[in-house]
Amino acid sequence: MSDIVDVAVIGAGPYGLSVAAHLRAAGVDYRHFGMPMRLWKETMPEGMFLKSQGFASNLSDPDGTHTLEAFCKATSRPYASYGLPVSLENFVSYGQWFQAERGLAVEERTVSGIVQRDSGFELTVDGVDRVLARRVVVAIGVEAFAHVAEPLSALPPDLCTHSSAHPDLAKFNGQEVFVVGAGQSALETAALLHENGASVQVLVRKGVVAWNGAPLNPDRPLLKRLREPESGLGSGWATWFYSNHPELFRQLPSHTRVYRARTALGPAGASWLRPRVEGQFPVLLGHAVTSATEQDGRVRLAVTRAGQSGRELEADHVIAATGYRTDVRRLQFLPEALRSRLQTLVGSPVVGRDYQSSVPGLFFVGTAVAPTMGPVMRFVFGTWHAAPVVARKLAGASGRKLQPAVTASR
Ligand SMILES: Cc1cc2nc3c(=O)[nH]c(=O)nc-3n(C[C@H](O)[C@H](O)[C@H](O)COP(=O)(O)OP(=O)(O)OC[C@H]3O[C@@H](n4cnc5c(N)ncnc54)[C@H](O)[C@@H]3O)c2cc1C
């Protein structure tokens, strides 16, 4: 068995890498497990662009030096804080550059189990090795929480898949495909399917698709900026609050937090995506799927339309762009004995101001804590709050010298 480390970090996406950058700078003894940027490299479709602006897509480091802008400059790629969509390819490369430049050693292995021991936690790595850590930071993102909405979930996997199952949408060339959903993921998946030669139809339950406006001019007059401030997650005072003050969001009543974490910044397409959707392929508004069956190797969907009779539609495949739902019961590496000690809210671990759960020494960051810390935890921008706060707590507990935190800048 290995010697005990102060901290183990599980997950090497934007949150895990940011936490590691702060821990390393603070001199904390830690080990880091996960496949760097795996969600982005292996589950998102080739040709995708990020919805977040350039300035809001920075991973957090203690000096504020390893930004997306610095990466683009170093590698001669185009960059703008606002208005120039960040490509998936650039973002994945940025994550890898961040890891290399910050000297972050990541063990490309999976944590398959955690149990509590007197000294802290015992992790099982790749099902065989045992690692002891005094504290653990869980930064495992959304992969385990892909949600295929009913009644689509009853279909066999060769006919219905979640949107995260398709790094390469070109394989649907020549096929008829439904996309169910109304968010950026549904609309961008549909656009990429269409551009890759599939015949696509989008089914939207609501009567309208929401589109974000073009980014506001950062140099607009002060009064306009005061009326509608711009922040990491978008514009407006509510969004500014969610973006910048997770610690205050935490103080709201739990029903408000749950509602806001789910609905704030709800499904909407980016302004730059709109011309690639509208007029390009059918977007069937007000269409709710009531049943989904297989017939002769194809998908048959019964749909109802507001105020009209239902209809049946057929295609070769249906992609459920129906999001992610956190539920700690789906985390196979957390045994029942540990899970039952986790205080949860709508399936998410409740954390304190330092991101520590009800199990002392077990920390959670990212989407999993959105009902406590707010919608910013669903985005890369939230790393600027979570990573320094967690690292400061862990460095303090280890008796290490603390690093000053910097805030995200444009
Ligand atoms: C299609 C799509 C587009 C998005 N676009 C944006 C955007 O434009 N801007 C934005 O801010 N956010 C966007 N998001 C949200 C995005 O998921 C988060 O912002 C970001 O990925 C959060 O980082 P993370 O580190 O928490 O999670 P992840 O990026 O999911 O990283 C978690 C990592 O943990 C690893 N892991 C999981 N379990 C284990 C285990 N047991 N052992 C070891 N490793 C493990 C995973 O393999 C993964 O690499 C998008 C999400 C999707 C699905």
Side-chain angles (χ1 to χ4, degrees), residues 303-384:
V303 295
T304 54
R305 291 177 292 168
Q308 296 177 44
S309 57
R311 62 194 280 209
E312 296 225 319
L313 301 167
E314 260 190 43
D316 296 306
H317 194 86
V318 56
I319 294 180
T322 45
Y324 296 83
R325 286 213 184 146
T326 305
D327 184 345
V328 289
R329 286 172 303 182
R330 292 178 71 179
L331 294 180
Q332 302 202 335
F333 62 80
L334 278 188
E336 175 54 25
L338 200 52
R339 229 184 291 143
S340 63
R341 296 191 47 224
L342 270 182
Q343 191 193 339
T344 58
L345 180 63
V346 289
S348 300
V350 173
V351 289
R353 64 211 286 187
D354 53 8
Y355 292 84
Q356 190 162 198
S357 70
S358 52
V359 176
L362 187 62
F363 294 71
F364 287 83
V365 290
T367 304
V369 298
T372 305
M373 292 297 199
V376 72
M377 292 296 131
R378 299 181 349 228
F379 299 89
V380 174
F381 195 71
T383 59
W384 287 88

Side-chain angles (χ1 to χ4, degrees), residues 11 13-15 35 40 50-52 111 140-141 143 378-380:
Y15 277 81
M35 303 295 170
W40 299 83
L50 272 67
K51 196 174 163 193
S52 51
V111 173
I140 47 102
E143 259 177 85
R378 299 181 349 228
F379 299 89
V380 174

